[in-house]
Amino acid sequence: MSDAITHYRQLRELTVDELAYVLGMLDHPISADALAEMERCARPVTVDDLVAISYALDTTPAVLLSHIPIDMPEPEGPLATGLPCDVDQTELRAWLEGKTTLDRESRVSWWKERLARLRVRSAHHEEQLQGAYAELRELGDLALQEADAPPVQRLQWRIQDGEHALNQSEVALALTEHRLGNLQEDA
């Protein structure tokens, strides 16, 4: 929670004092010192605090609860007390948002649905990329001669973005297939 509060406060370009002021205006006063203690893990965050801070930061409690710092090493155990040790951030957020439960059958079902969605997304990126390549082939030598022309540059950017999106989709797909396989083996 401490990193989540800090992250979203900074994302909203608020100081601790400004967040304390906003919380006071929302009839849930928390002093700047108390907020700073929460951000340093020196003070616990109550459920009421979580709800008020989430609202003040224009996010949801689920987002704050499932926030994992970018520089956090791979956890050795569960992401939160009492959770299965193999629940990852994506699945944690889905559970917090009520999109799945954490029994084995529901988890397998959720990962299968995620895999299906990722396959559709990957196919869409592939189709978009192939369309951009086709446009570039149609331009032929003109694309080489007019490489600096804005329409050609935009097409090159579309191709670059498409290749990146497709690569990201394929990585997500492979990770999801691996995750689903592990869950099914454990069943």
Side-chain angles (χ1 to χ4, degrees):
M1 282 300 307
S2 63
D3 187 76
I5 294 170
T6 303
H7 174 82
Y8 284 93
R9 178 181 57 76
Q10 291 173 345
L11 190 65
R12 304 298 186 257
E13 298 179 353
L14 294 171
T15 65
V16 173
D17 290 320
E18 291 168 335
L19 180 55
Y21 176 79
V22 170
L23 288 165
M25 298 299 294
L26 295 173
D27 290 328
H28 190 81
I30 302 175
S31 71
D33 289 340
L35 284 169
E37 288 174 355
M38 289 175 189
E39 289 187 3
R40 289 193 315 271
C41 293
R43 178 184 177 128
V45 179
T46 68
V47 172
D48 290 339
D49 293 341
L50 171 66
V51 171
I53 291 168
S54 299
Y55 182 74
L57 294 175
D58 193 29
T59 190
T60 67
V63 167
L64 292 184
L65 285 169
S66 63
H67 174 81
I68 297 177
I70 292 172
D71 59 349
M72 182 175 147
E74 187 68 30
E76 293 179 17
L79 290 174
T81 305
L83 293 180
C85 63
D86 62 342
V87 171
D88 73 357
Q89 183 182 14
T90 309
E91 190 176 12
L92 173 62
R93 182 165 293 167
W95 175 68
L96 289 169
E97 293 173 350
K99 295 177 181 173
T100 188
T101 58
L102 294 180
D103 62 275
R104 180 71 52 197
E105 185 179 324
S106 296
R107 292 182 69 202
V108 167
S109 177
W110 184 82
W111 281 101
K112 283 180 178 179
E113 289 172 19
R114 180 171 168 76
L115 185 61
R117 287 191 309 273
L118 286 170
R119 285 183 174 141
V120 168
R121 181 181 298 156
S122 185
H124 171 74
H125 290 312
E126 176 71 31
E127 185 179 302
Q128 294 294 311
L129 184 57
Q130 292 306 319
Y133 281 138
E135 284 183 47
L136 188 61
R137 282 191 301 275
E138 286 175 20
L139 290 175
D141 290 337
L142 186 59
L144 295 174
Q145 296 166 358
E146 300 290 329
D148 292 341
V152 175
Q153 285 182 336
R154 282 193 296 274
L155 184 56
Q156 292 289 359
W157 292 334
R158 272 183 45 214
I159 290 171
Q160 187 177 22
D161 289 347
E163 288 172 342
H164 178 73
L166 182 59
N167 184 30
Q168 293 294 89
S169 291
E170 289 173 348
V171 168
L173 200 56
L175 290 172
T176 300
E177 287 170 341
H178 177 74
R179 196 91 166 109
L180 179 59
N182 286 345
L183 270 173
Q184 288 173 326
E185 285 175 11
D186 293 342

Coordinates of all heavy atoms in Angstrom, one line a residue, residues 83-172:
L83 N -3.2 -15.8 0.3 CA -3.5 -16.1 -1.1 C -2.6 -17.3 -1.5 O -1.5 -17.5 -1.0 CB -3.1 -14.9 -2.0 CG -4.0 -13.7 -1.8 CD1 -3.6 -12.6 -2.8 CD2 -5.5 -14.0 -2.1
P84 N -3.0 -18.0 -2.5 CA -2.1 -19.1 -3.1 C -0.8 -18.4 -3.5 O -0.8 -17.3 -4.0 CB -2.9 -19.6 -4.2 CG -4.4 -19.3 -3.9 CD -4.3 -18.0 -3.2
C85 N 0.3 -19.1 -3.4 CA 1.6 -18.5 -3.7 C 1.8 -18.2 -5.2 O 2.6 -17.4 -5.6 CB 2.7 -19.3 -3.1 SG 2.8 -20.9 -3.8
D86 N 1.0 -18.9 -6.1 CA 1.2 -18.7 -7.5 C 0.2 -17.7 -8.1 O 0.2 -17.5 -9.4 CB 1.1 -20.0 -8.2 CG -0.3 -20.7 -8.1 OD1 -1.1 -20.3 -7.2 OD2 -0.6 -21.6 -8.9
V87 N -0.5 -16.9 -7.3 CA -1.4 -15.9 -7.9 C -0.5 -14.7 -8.3 O 0.3 -14.2 -7.5 CB -2.5 -15.4 -6.8 CG1 -3.2 -14.2 -7.3 CG2 -3.4 -16.6 -6.5
D88 N -0.6 -14.3 -9.5 CA 0.1 -13.1 -10.0 C -0.7 -11.8 -9.9 O -1.9 -11.9 -9.5 CB 0.7 -13.4 -11.4 CG -0.3 -13.3 -12.5 OD1 -1.5 -13.1 -12.3 OD2 0.2 -13.4 -13.7
Q89 N -0.1 -10.7 -10.3 CA -0.7 -9.4 -10.1 C -2.0 -9.3 -11.0 O -3.0 -8.8 -10.5 CB 0.2 -8.3 -10.5 CG -0.4 -6.9 -10.3 CD 0.5 -5.8 -10.7 OE1 1.5 -6.0 -11.4 NE2 0.2 -4.6 -10.3
T90 N -2.0 -9.8 -12.2 CA -3.2 -9.8 -13.0 C -4.3 -10.5 -12.4 O -5.5 -10.1 -12.4 CB -2.8 -10.4 -14.4 OG1 -1.6 -9.8 -14.9 CG2 -3.9 -10.1 -15.4
E91 N -4.1 -11.7 -12.0 CA -5.1 -12.6 -11.4 C -5.6 -12.0 -10.0 O -6.8 -12.0 -9.7 CB -4.6 -14.0 -11.2 CG -5.6 -15.0 -10.8 CD -5.1 -16.4 -10.7 OE1 -3.8 -16.6 -10.7 OE2 -5.9 -17.3 -10.6
L92 N -4.6 -11.4 -9.3 CA -5.0 -10.7 -8.0 C -6.0 -9.6 -8.3 O -7.0 -9.5 -7.6 CB -3.8 -10.2 -7.3 CG -4.0 -9.3 -6.1 CD1 -4.7 -10.1 -5.0 CD2 -2.7 -8.7 -5.6
R93 N -5.7 -8.8 -9.3 CA -6.6 -7.7 -9.6 C -8.0 -8.2 -10.0 O -9.0 -7.7 -9.7 CB -6.0 -6.7 -10.7 CG -6.9 -5.6 -10.9 CD -6.3 -4.4 -11.7 NE -5.3 -3.8 -10.8 CZ -4.4 -2.9 -11.3 NH1 -4.4 -2.6 -12.6 NH2 -3.5 -2.4 -10.5
A94 N -8.0 -9.2 -10.9 CA -9.3 -9.8 -11.3 C -10.1 -10.3 -10.1 O -11.3 -10.1 -10.0 CB -9.0 -10.9 -12.3
W95 N -9.4 -10.9 -9.2 CA -10.1 -11.4 -7.9 C -10.6 -10.2 -7.1 O -11.7 -10.2 -6.7 CB -9.1 -12.3 -7.1 CG -9.7 -12.7 -5.8 CD1 -10.7 -13.6 -5.6 CD2 -9.2 -12.3 -4.5 NE1 -10.9 -13.7 -4.3 CE2 -10.0 -13.0 -3.6 CE3 -8.2 -11.4 -4.1 CZ2 -9.9 -12.8 -2.2 CZ3 -8.1 -11.2 -2.7 CH2 -8.9 -11.9 -1.8
L96 N -9.8 -9.2 -6.9 CA -10.2 -8.0 -6.2 C -11.4 -7.3 -6.8 O -12.2 -6.8 -6.1 CB -9.0 -7.0 -6.0 CG -7.9 -7.4 -5.1 CD1 -6.7 -6.5 -5.3 CD2 -8.4 -7.5 -3.7
E97 N -11.5 -7.4 -8.1 CA -12.6 -6.7 -8.9 C -13.8 -7.7 -9.0 O -14.7 -7.3 -9.7 CB -12.1 -6.3 -10.2 CG -11.1 -5.1 -10.1 CD -10.4 -4.8 -11.5 OE1 -10.6 -5.5 -12.5 OE2 -9.7 -3.7 -11.5
G98 N -13.7 -8.9 -8.5 CA -14.8 -9.8 -8.5 C -15.0 -10.5 -9.8 O -16.1 -11.1 -10.1
K99 N -14.0 -10.6 -10.6 CA -14.0 -11.2 -11.9 C -13.7 -12.7 -11.9 O -13.9 -13.4 -12.8 CB -13.1 -10.5 -12.9 CG -13.5 -9.1 -13.2 CD -12.5 -8.4 -14.1 CE -12.9 -7.0 -14.4 NZ -11.9 -6.2 -15.1
T100 N -13.2 -13.1 -10.8 CA -12.9 -14.5 -10.6 C -12.8 -14.8 -9.1 O -12.7 -13.9 -8.3 CB -11.5 -14.9 -11.3 OG1 -11.4 -16.4 -11.2 CG2 -10.3 -14.3 -10.6
T101 N -12.8 -16.1 -8.8 CA -12.6 -16.5 -7.4 C -11.2 -17.3 -7.5 O -10.7 -17.5 -8.5 CB -13.7 -17.4 -6.9 OG1 -13.8 -18.6 -7.7 CG2 -15.0 -16.7 -6.8
L102 N -10.7 -17.7 -6.3 CA -9.4 -18.3 -6.3 C -9.4 -19.8 -6.1 O -8.4 -20.4 -5.7 CB -8.5 -17.6 -5.3 CG -8.2 -16.1 -5.6 CD1 -7.3 -15.5 -4.6 CD2 -7.6 -16.0 -7.0
D103 N -10.6 -20.4 -6.3 CA -10.6 -21.9 -6.2 C -10.0 -22.4 -7.6 O -9.9 -21.7 -8.6 CB -12.0 -22.4 -6.0 CG -12.9 -22.1 -7.2 OD1 -13.5 -21.0 -7.1 OD2 -13.1 -22.9 -8.1
R104 N -9.4 -23.6 -7.6 CA -8.7 -24.1 -8.7 C -9.5 -24.0 -10.0 O -9.0 -23.6 -11.0 CB -8.2 -25.5 -8.4 CG -7.5 -26.2 -9.5 CD -6.1 -25.7 -9.6 NE -5.4 -25.7 -8.4 CZ -4.2 -25.0 -8.2 NH1 -3.7 -24.3 -9.1 NH2 -3.7 -25.0 -7.0
E105 N -10.7 -24.5 -10.0 CA -11.6 -24.5 -11.2 C -11.8 -23.1 -11.8 O -11.6 -22.9 -13.0 CB -12.9 -25.2 -10.9 CG -13.8 -25.4 -12.1 CD -15.1 -26.1 -11.7 OE1 -15.1 -27.0 -10.8 OE2 -16.1 -25.7 -12.3
S106 N -12.1 -22.2 -10.9 CA -12.3 -20.8 -11.4 C -11.0 -20.2 -11.9 O -11.0 -19.5 -12.9 CB -12.8 -19.9 -10.2 OG -14.1 -20.4 -9.8
R107 N -9.9 -20.5 -11.3 CA -8.6 -20.0 -11.8 C -8.3 -20.5 -13.1 O -7.9 -19.8 -14.0 CB -7.5 -20.3 -10.8 CG -7.7 -19.5 -9.4 CD -6.6 -19.8 -8.5 NE -5.4 -19.2 -9.0 CZ -4.1 -19.6 -8.7 NH1 -4.0 -20.6 -7.8 NH2 -3.1 -19.0 -9.2
V108 N -8.5 -21.8 -13.3 CA -8.2 -22.4 -14.6 C -9.1 -21.8 -15.7 O -8.7 -21.5 -16.8 CB -8.4 -24.0 -14.6 CG1 -8.4 -24.6 -16.0 CG2 -7.2 -24.6 -13.8
S109 N -10.4 -21.7 -15.4 CA -11.3 -21.1 -16.3 C -10.9 -19.6 -16.6 O -11.0 -19.2 -17.8 CB -12.7 -21.1 -15.7 OG -13.7 -20.4 -16.5
W110 N -10.5 -18.9 -15.6 CA -10.1 -17.5 -15.8 C -8.9 -17.4 -16.8 O -8.9 -16.6 -17.7 CB -9.8 -16.8 -14.5 CG -9.5 -15.3 -14.7 CD1 -10.4 -14.3 -14.8 CD2 -8.2 -14.7 -14.8 NE1 -9.8 -13.1 -15.0 CE2 -8.4 -13.3 -14.9 CE3 -6.9 -15.2 -14.7 CZ2 -7.3 -12.4 -15.1 CZ3 -5.9 -14.3 -14.8 CH2 -6.1 -13.0 -15.0
W111 N -7.9 -18.3 -16.5 CA -6.7 -18.3 -17.4 C -7.1 -18.7 -18.8 O -6.5 -18.2 -19.8 CB -5.6 -19.1 -16.8 CG -4.9 -18.4 -15.7 CD1 -5.1 -18.5 -14.3 CD2 -4.0 -17.3 -15.8 NE1 -4.3 -17.6 -13.6 CE2 -3.6 -16.9 -14.5 CE3 -3.4 -16.7 -16.9 CZ2 -2.7 -15.9 -14.3 CZ3 -2.4 -15.7 -16.7 CH2 -2.1 -15.3 -15.4
K112 N -8.0 -19.6 -19.0 CA -8.4 -20.1 -20.3 C -9.1 -18.9 -21.1 O -8.8 -18.7 -22.2 CB -9.4 -21.2 -20.2 CG -8.7 -22.6 -19.9 CD -9.7 -23.7 -19.9 CE -9.1 -25.0 -19.6 NZ -10.1 -26.1 -19.5
E113 N -9.9 -18.2 -20.4 CA -10.6 -17.0 -21.0 C -9.5 -15.9 -21.3 O -9.6 -15.3 -22.4 CB -11.6 -16.4 -20.0 CG -12.8 -17.3 -19.9 CD -13.8 -16.7 -18.8 OE1 -13.7 -15.6 -18.4 OE2 -14.6 -17.5 -18.3
R114 N -8.6 -15.7 -20.5 CA -7.5 -14.8 -20.7 C -6.7 -15.2 -22.0 O -6.4 -14.4 -22.8 CB -6.6 -14.6 -19.5 CG -5.4 -13.6 -19.7 CD -4.7 -13.4 -18.4 NE -3.5 -12.7 -18.5 CZ -3.4 -11.4 -18.8 NH1 -4.5 -10.7 -18.8 NH2 -2.2 -10.9 -18.9
L115 N -6.4 -16.5 -22.1 CA -5.7 -17.0 -23.2 C -6.5 -16.8 -24.5 O -5.9 -16.4 -25.5 CB -5.4 -18.5 -23.0 CG -4.6 -19.2 -24.0 CD1 -3.2 -18.6 -24.1 CD2 -4.5 -20.7 -23.7
A116 N -7.8 -17.0 -24.5 CA -8.6 -16.8 -25.7 C -8.6 -15.3 -26.1 O -8.4 -15.0 -27.3 CB -10.0 -17.3 -25.4
R117 N -8.7 -14.4 -25.1 CA -8.7 -13.0 -25.4 C -7.3 -12.6 -26.0 O -7.2 -11.8 -26.9 CB -9.0 -12.2 -24.1 CG -10.4 -12.2 -23.7 CD -10.7 -11.1 -22.6 NE -9.8 -11.2 -21.5 CZ -10.0 -12.0 -20.4 NH1 -11.0 -12.8 -20.4 NH2 -9.1 -11.9 -19.4
L118 N -6.2 -13.1 -25.4 CA -4.9 -12.8 -25.9 C -4.7 -13.3 -27.3 O -4.0 -12.7 -28.1 CB -3.8 -13.3 -25.0 CG -3.7 -12.6 -23.7 CD1 -2.8 -13.3 -22.7 CD2 -3.1 -11.2 -23.9
R119 N -5.2 -14.5 -27.6 CA -5.1 -15.0 -29.0 C -5.8 -14.1 -30.0 O -5.3 -13.9 -31.1 CB -5.7 -16.4 -29.1 CG -4.8 -17.5 -28.4 CD -5.3 -18.9 -28.6 NE -4.3 -19.8 -28.1 CZ -4.6 -20.9 -27.4 NH1 -5.9 -21.2 -27.1 NH2 -3.7 -21.7 -27.0
V120 N -7.0 -13.6 -29.6 CA -7.7 -12.7 -30.5 C -6.9 -11.4 -30.7 O -6.8 -10.9 -31.8 CB -9.1 -12.4 -29.9 CG1 -9.8 -11.2 -30.6 CG2 -10.0 -13.6 -30.0
R121 N -6.4 -10.9 -29.6 CA -5.6 -9.7 -29.7 C -4.3 -9.9 -30.5 O -4.0 -9.0 -31.4 CB -5.1 -9.2 -28.3 CG -4.3 -7.9 -28.3 CD -3.9 -7.5 -26.9 NE -5.1 -7.2 -26.1 CZ -5.0 -7.3 -24.7 NH1 -4.0 -7.6 -24.1 NH2 -6.1 -7.0 -24.1
S122 N -3.7 -11.0 -30.4 CA -2.5 -11.3 -31.1 C -2.8 -11.4 -32.6 O -2.1 -10.8 -33.5 CB -1.8 -12.6 -30.7 OG -0.6 -12.8 -31.3
A123 N -3.9 -12.0 -33.0 CA -4.4 -12.2 -34.4 C -4.7 -10.8 -34.9 O -4.4 -10.5 -36.1 CB -5.6 -13.1 -34.5
H124 N -5.3 -9.9 -34.1 CA -5.6 -8.6 -34.6 C -4.3 -7.8 -34.9 O -4.2 -7.2 -35.9 CB -6.4 -7.8 -33.5 CG -6.6 -6.4 -33.8 ND1 -7.5 -5.9 -34.8 CD2 -6.0 -5.3 -33.2 CE1 -7.4 -4.6 -34.8 NE2 -6.6 -4.2 -33.9
H125 N -3.4 -7.9 -34.0 CA -2.1 -7.2 -34.2 C -1.4 -7.7 -35.5 O -0.8 -6.9 -36.3 CB -1.2 -7.3 -33.0 CG -1.6 -6.5 -31.8 ND1 -2.0 -5.2 -31.9 CD2 -1.7 -6.9 -30.5 CE1 -2.3 -4.8 -30.7 NE2 -2.2 -5.8 -29.8
E126 N -1.5 -9.0 -35.7 CA -0.8 -9.6 -36.8 C -1.5 -9.1 -38.1 O -0.9 -8.8 -39.1 CB -1.0 -11.2 -36.8 CG -0.5 -11.9 -38.0 CD 1.1 -11.9 -38.1 OE1 1.8 -11.8 -37.1 OE2 1.5 -11.9 -39.3
E127 N -2.8 -9.1 -38.1 CA -3.6 -8.6 -39.2 C -3.3 -7.1 -39.6 O -3.1 -6.8 -40.7 CB -5.1 -8.8 -39.0 CG -6.0 -8.4 -40.1 CD -7.5 -8.6 -39.8 OE1 -7.8 -9.8 -39.4 OE2 -8.2 -7.6 -39.8
Q128 N -3.2 -6.3 -38.5 CA -2.9 -4.9 -38.7 C -1.5 -4.7 -39.3 O -1.3 -3.9 -40.2 CB -3.0 -4.1 -37.4 CG -4.4 -4.1 -36.8 CD -5.3 -3.2 -37.7 OE1 -5.0 -2.1 -38.1 NE2 -6.5 -3.8 -38.0
L129 N -0.6 -5.5 -38.7 CA 0.8 -5.4 -39.2 C 0.9 -5.9 -40.7 O 1.6 -5.2 -41.5 CB 1.7 -6.3 -38.3 CG 3.2 -6.2 -38.6 CD1 3.7 -4.8 -38.5 CD2 3.9 -7.1 -37.6
Q130 N 0.2 -6.9 -41.0 CA 0.3 -7.4 -42.4 C -0.3 -6.4 -43.4 O 0.2 -6.2 -44.5 CB -0.4 -8.8 -42.5 CG 0.3 -9.9 -41.8 CD 1.7 -10.0 -42.3 OE1 2.1 -9.9 -43.4 NE2 2.6 -10.3 -41.3
G131 N -1.4 -5.7 -42.9 CA -2.0 -4.6 -43.7 C -1.0 -3.5 -43.9 O -0.9 -2.9 -45.1
A132 N -0.2 -3.1 -42.9 CA 0.8 -2.0 -43.0 C 1.9 -2.4 -44.0 O 2.3 -1.7 -44.8 CB 1.3 -1.6 -41.7
Y133 N 2.3 -3.7 -43.9 CA 3.4 -4.2 -44.8 C 2.9 -4.2 -46.2 O 3.6 -3.9 -47.1 CB 3.8 -5.6 -44.4 CG 4.7 -5.8 -43.2 CD1 4.5 -6.7 -42.3 CD2 5.8 -4.9 -43.1 CE1 5.4 -6.9 -41.2 CE2 6.7 -5.0 -42.1 CZ 6.5 -6.0 -41.1 OH 7.4 -6.1 -40.1
A134 N 1.6 -4.6 -46.4 CA 1.0 -4.6 -47.8 C 1.0 -3.1 -48.3 O 1.3 -2.9 -49.5 CB -0.4 -5.1 -47.7
E135 N 0.6 -2.2 -47.5 CA 0.7 -0.8 -48.0 C 2.1 -0.4 -48.4 O 2.3 0.3 -49.4 CB 0.2 0.2 -46.9 CG -1.3 0.2 -46.7 CD -1.8 1.2 -45.6 OE1 -1.3 2.3 -45.7 OE2 -2.6 0.8 -44.8
L136 N 3.1 -0.8 -47.6 CA 4.5 -0.4 -47.9 C 4.9 -1.1 -49.2 O 5.6 -0.4 -50.0 CB 5.4 -0.9 -46.7 CG 6.8 -0.4 -46.8 CD1 6.9 1.1 -46.8 CD2 7.6 -1.0 -45.6
R137 N 4.5 -2.3 -49.4 CA 4.8 -3.0 -50.7 C 4.2 -2.3 -51.9 O 4.8 -2.2 -52.9 CB 4.4 -4.5 -50.6 CG 5.4 -5.4 -49.8 CD 5.1 -6.9 -50.0 NE 3.7 -7.2 -49.6 CZ 3.3 -7.6 -48.4 NH1 4.2 -7.5 -47.4 NH2 2.1 -7.9 -48.2
E138 N 3.0 -1.9 -51.7 CA 2.3 -1.2 -52.8 C 3.0 0.1 -53.2 O 3.0 0.5 -54.3 CB 0.8 -0.8 -52.4 CG -0.1 -2.0 -52.4 CD -1.5 -1.7 -51.8 OE1 -1.8 -0.5 -51.8 OE2 -2.2 -2.6 -51.4
L139 N 3.6 0.8 -52.2 CA 4.4 2.0 -52.5 C 5.6 1.7 -53.2 O 6.1 2.5 -54.0 CB 4.7 2.8 -51.2 CG 3.5 3.4 -50.5 CD1 4.0 4.0 -49.2 CD2 2.9 4.5 -51.3
G140 N 6.2 0.5 -53.0 CA 7.4 0.1 -53.8 C 8.5 1.0 -53.6 O 8.9 1.5 -52.5
D141 N 9.1 1.4 -54.8 CA 10.3 2.2 -54.8 C 9.9 3.6 -54.3 O 10.8 4.3 -53.8 CB 10.8 2.3 -56.3 CG 11.5 1.0 -56.7 OD1 11.9 0.3 -55.8 OD2 11.6 0.8 -57.9
L142 N 8.7 4.0 -54.5 CA 8.3 5.4 -54.0 C 8.5 5.5 -52.5 O 8.9 6.6 -52.0 CB 6.8 5.6 -54.3 CG 6.3 7.0 -54.0 CD1 7.0 8.1 -54.8 CD2 4.8 7.0 -54.3
A143 N 8.4 4.4 -51.7 CA 8.6 4.5 -50.3 C 10.1 4.7 -50.0 O 10.4 5.4 -49.0 CB 8.2 3.2 -49.6
L144 N 11.0 4.2 -50.8 CA 12.4 4.4 -50.6 C 12.8 5.8 -51.1 O 13.6 6.5 -50.4 CB 13.2 3.4 -51.4 CG 13.1 2.0 -51.0 CD1 13.8 1.0 -52.0 CD2 13.6 1.8 -49.6
Q145 N 12.2 6.3 -52.2 CA 12.5 7.6 -52.7 C 11.9 8.7 -51.8 O 12.5 9.8 -51.7 CB 12.0 7.8 -54.1 CG 12.6 6.9 -55.1 CD 11.9 6.8 -56.4 OE1 10.8 7.4 -56.6 NE2 12.4 6.0 -57.4
E146 N 10.8 8.5 -51.2 CA 10.1 9.5 -50.4 C 10.1 9.1 -48.9 O 9.1 9.4 -48.2 CB 8.7 9.7 -50.9 CG 8.6 10.2 -52.3 CD 9.0 11.6 -52.5 OE1 8.9 12.4 -51.6 OE2 9.6 11.9 -53.6
A147 N 11.2 8.5 -48.4 CA 11.2 8.0 -47.1 C 10.9 9.1 -46.0 O 10.4 8.8 -44.9 CB 12.5 7.3 -46.8
D148 N 11.3 10.3 -46.4 CA 11.0 11.4 -45.4 C 9.7 12.0 -45.5 O 9.3 12.9 -44.6 CB 12.1 12.5 -45.6 CG 13.5 12.1 -45.3 OD1 13.6 11.1 -44.5 OD2 14.4 12.7 -45.7
A149 N 8.9 11.6 -46.5 CA 7.5 12.2 -46.6 C 6.6 11.7 -45.4 O 6.7 10.6 -45.0 CB 6.9 11.7 -47.9
P150 N 5.8 12.6 -44.9 CA 5.0 12.3 -43.7 C 4.2 11.0 -43.9 O 4.1 10.2 -42.9 CB 4.1 13.5 -43.5 CG 5.0 14.7 -44.0 CD 5.7 14.1 -45.2
P151 N 3.5 10.8 -45.0 CA 2.7 9.6 -45.1 C 3.6 8.3 -45.0 O 3.2 7.3 -44.4 CB 2.1 9.6 -46.5 CG 2.1 11.1 -46.9 CD 3.3 11.6 -46.2
V152 N 4.8 8.3 -45.6 CA 5.7 7.2 -45.5 C 6.2 7.0 -44.1 O 6.2 5.9 -43.6 CB 6.9 7.3 -46.5 CG1 7.8 6.2 -46.4 CG2 6.3 7.4 -47.9
Q153 N 6.5 8.1 -43.4 CA 7.0 8.0 -42.0 C 5.9 7.5 -41.1 O 6.1 6.6 -40.3 CB 7.4 9.4 -41.5 CG 8.7 9.8 -42.1 CD 9.2 11.2 -41.5 OE1 8.3 12.0 -41.1 NE2 10.5 11.4 -41.6
R154 N 4.6 7.9 -41.3 CA 3.5 7.4 -40.5 C 3.3 5.9 -40.8 O 3.1 5.2 -39.8 CB 2.2 8.1 -40.9 CG 2.1 9.5 -40.2 CD 0.7 10.1 -40.3 NE 0.3 10.4 -41.6 CZ 0.5 11.5 -42.3 NH1 1.2 12.5 -41.8 NH2 0.1 11.6 -43.5
L155 N 3.5 5.5 -42.0 CA 3.4 4.0 -42.3 C 4.5 3.3 -41.6 O 4.3 2.2 -41.0 CB 3.5 3.8 -43.8 CG 3.3 2.4 -44.3 CD1 2.0 1.8 -43.8 CD2 3.3 2.3 -45.8
Q156 N 5.7 3.8 -41.6 CA 6.9 3.2 -40.9 C 6.6 3.1 -39.4 O 6.9 2.1 -38.8 CB 8.2 3.9 -41.2 CG 8.7 3.8 -42.6 CD 9.2 2.4 -43.0 OE1 9.2 1.5 -42.2 NE2 9.6 2.3 -44.2
W157 N 6.0 4.1 -38.9 CA 5.7 4.2 -37.4 C 4.6 3.1 -37.1 O 4.7 2.5 -36.1 CB 5.3 5.5 -37.0 CG 6.4 6.6 -37.0 CD1 7.7 6.4 -36.9 CD2 6.2 8.0 -37.2 NE1 8.4 7.6 -37.0 CE2 7.5 8.6 -37.2 CE3 5.1 8.8 -37.3 CZ2 7.7 9.9 -37.3 CZ3 5.3 10.2 -37.5 CH2 6.6 10.7 -37.4
R158 N 3.6 3.0 -38.0 CA 2.6 2.0 -37.8 C 3.2 0.6 -37.8 O 2.8 -0.3 -37.0 CB 1.5 2.1 -38.9 CG 0.4 3.0 -38.6 CD -0.7 3.0 -39.7 NE -1.1 1.7 -40.2 CZ -1.5 1.5 -41.4 NH1 -1.5 2.5 -42.3 NH2 -1.9 0.3 -41.8
I159 N 4.1 0.4 -38.7 CA 4.8 -0.9 -38.8 C 5.6 -1.2 -37.5 O 5.5 -2.2 -36.9 CB 5.7 -1.0 -40.0 CG1 4.8 -1.1 -41.3 CG2 6.7 -2.2 -39.9 CD1 5.5 -1.0 -42.6
Q160 N 6.4 -0.2 -37.1 CA 7.2 -0.3 -35.9 C 6.3 -0.5 -34.6 O 6.5 -1.4 -33.8 CB 8.0 1.0 -35.6 CG 9.0 0.9 -34.5 CD 9.8 2.2 -34.4 OE1 9.4 3.2 -34.9 NE2 11.0 2.0 -33.8
D161 N 5.2 0.2 -34.5 CA 4.2 0.0 -33.4 C 3.6 -1.3 -33.5 O 3.4 -2.0 -32.5 CB 3.2 1.1 -33.4 CG 3.7 2.5 -33.0 OD1 4.8 2.6 -32.5 OD2 3.0 3.5 -33.2
G162 N 3.2 -1.8 -34.7 CA 2.6 -3.1 -34.9 C 3.5 -4.2 -34.5 O 3.1 -5.2 -33.9
E163 N 4.8 -4.1 -34.9 CA 5.8 -5.1 -34.5 C 5.9 -5.2 -33.0 O 6.0 -6.3 -32.5 CB 7.1 -4.9 -35.2 CG 7.1 -5.1 -36.7 CD 8.4 -4.7 -37.4 OE1 9.1 -3.9 -36.8 OE2 8.6 -5.1 -38.5
H164 N 6.0 -4.1 -32.4 CA 6.1 -4.0 -30.9 C 4.8 -4.6 -30.3 O 5.0 -5.5 -29.4 CB 6.3 -2.6 -30.4 CG 6.4 -2.5 -29.0 ND1 7.5 -2.9 -28.2 CD2 5.5 -2.0 -28.0 CE1 7.2 -2.7 -26.9 NE2 6.0 -2.2 -26.8
A165 N 3.7 -4.2 -30.7 CA 2.4 -4.8 -30.2 C 2.3 -6.3 -30.4 O 1.9 -7.0 -29.5 CB 1.2 -4.0 -30.8
L166 N 2.7 -6.7 -31.5 CA 2.6 -8.2 -31.8 C 3.6 -8.9 -30.9 O 3.3 -10.0 -30.4 CB 2.9 -8.5 -33.3 CG 2.9 -9.9 -33.7 CD1 1.5 -10.5 -33.5 CD2 3.2 -10.0 -35.2
N167 N 4.8 -8.4 -30.8 CA 5.8 -9.0 -29.9 C 5.3 -9.1 -28.5 O 5.4 -10.1 -27.8 CB 7.1 -8.2 -29.9 CG 8.2 -8.9 -29.1 OD1 8.2 -10.1 -29.0 ND2 9.1 -8.1 -28.6
Q168 N 4.7 -8.0 -28.0 CA 4.1 -8.0 -26.6 C 3.0 -9.0 -26.5 O 2.9 -9.7 -25.4 CB 3.6 -6.6 -26.3 CG 4.7 -5.5 -26.1 CD 5.6 -5.8 -25.0 OE1 6.6 -6.5 -25.1 NE2 5.3 -5.2 -23.8
S169 N 2.2 -9.1 -27.5 CA 1.1 -10.0 -27.4 C 1.6 -11.5 -27.4 O 1.1 -12.3 -26.7 CB 0.2 -9.9 -28.7 OG -0.5 -8.7 -28.6
E170 N 2.6 -11.7 -28.2 CA 3.2 -13.1 -28.2 C 3.8 -13.5 -26.9 O 3.7 -14.6 -26.4 CB 4.1 -13.2 -29.4 CG 3.4 -13.2 -30.7 CD 4.4 -13.2 -31.9 OE1 5.6 -13.0 -31.7 OE2 3.9 -13.4 -33.0
V171 N 4.5 -12.5 -26.3 CA 5.1 -12.8 -25.0 C 4.0 -13.0 -23.9 O 4.0 -14.0 -23.2 CB 6.0 -11.6 -24.5 CG1 6.4 -11.7 -23.0 CG2 7.2 -11.5 -25.4
A172 N 2.9 -12.2 -23.9 CA 1.8 -12.4 -23.0 C 1.1 -13.7 -23.2 O 0.8 -14.4 -22.3 CB 0.8 -11.2 -23.1

